Amino acid sequence: MTCSRRNFLKTSGVLATGGLLAAGASDSRAARLAEDFATGDFAGRYASLFGDQTVSESELIQLILPEIAEDGAVVPVTISSELDGIERLYLLADKNPTPLVAEFELTPLLALHLTARIKLAESSRVTLVASREGQLLRCSRWVKVMRGGCGSG
Amino acid sequence: MAGSIRVRSRREGEFLELKVLIEHPMENGRNRDAAGNLIPAHFIEQLALTLNSQPLVTVNMAGSVAKNPFFSFRLKQAADGDVLRVAWRDNHGAGDSAEHRIELNR
């Protein structure tokens, strides 16, 4: 099936409400899908985001996190890549109540080197999926959390 | 919410590094206050950066981004006087925006 989930949602009008809200309040090009940021388990969210698309492990994207995070409420993340043409990044914390932490829509004006600070509820794998020219690339890191980010996620 | 955004830019090798700090509680709705009551979810849903009105990067997020969100990005090219605009809105419909003029020789 060539129809991607996002295109399906666009054409089916599911995005209409979110689109209007986003247009009214910000300069964003695309709507935020509330369902993507709903609580749930990682496997379910991963399946709903990427469906049956092939996701390849890649060393061409670097995901840098501390191996041990003293405080799960503030965990620094660095994402970088020399690859051109990455359009979108999905950052997921596998054990967080809200597995999708953030989704970045990138443009060619950026060099891919970005940092953020996230919360981790407990020790877990952190997964990054990058979409580039219809391909999905993935890398993951394990983070040991000494003190959970109090109800984080 | 005026003045919730702080922006810095500085040269980093061949790139221009942008740092964006936003004051926001980023409550995910699962924390409790001192009296044991749940603190309602209150988090930034979307952060949008534009350069001279052109989209640069948009971040969609949930309450699992840390309190007082801090991001940095690298611009491939920038010119003196380019205007970076940073805007956010949260799940209560509140928001803020700020403009930052890029000065390469600072």
Side-chain angles (χ1 to χ4, degrees), chain B residues 14-66:
Chain B
E14 61 187 297
F15 305 116
L16 188 78
E17 186 154 272
L18 309 172
K19 293 184 174 174
V20 178
L21 178 68
I22 302 164
E23 257 179 72
H24 200 282
M26 297 301 285
E27 285 292 349
N28 54 36
R30 281 183 288 277
N31 290 314
R32 290 180 185 276
D33 63 18
N37 302 312
L38 273 180
I39 303 170
H42 185 200
F43 56 85
I44 294 176
E45 288 186 335
Q46 193 171 66
L47 169 70
L49 272 66
T50 58
L51 188 70
N52 302 328
S53 304
Q54 268 200 301
L56 193 61
V57 56
T58 303
V59 190
N60 294 313
M61 61 188 107
S64 39
V65 166

Side-chain angles (χ1 to χ4, degrees), chain A residues 38-90:
Chain A
T39 54
D41 71 324
F42 170 79
R45 182 63 52 222
Y46 192 86
S48 76
L49 283 169
F50 309 115
D52 52 8
Q53 299 175 77
T54 307
V55 185
S56 325
E57 291 293 331
S58 177
E59 290 298 315
L60 297 172
I61 298 162
Q62 284 82 46
L63 174 63
I64 302 162
L65 285 146
E67 280 178 35
I68 298 174
E70 292 293 333
D71 183 357
V74 187
V75 182
V77 184
T78 301
I79 298 165
S80 69
S81 177
E82 300 282 319
L83 286 177
D84 271 332
I86 294 177
E87 296 130 16
R88 197 178 279 267
L89 298 169
Y90 302 85

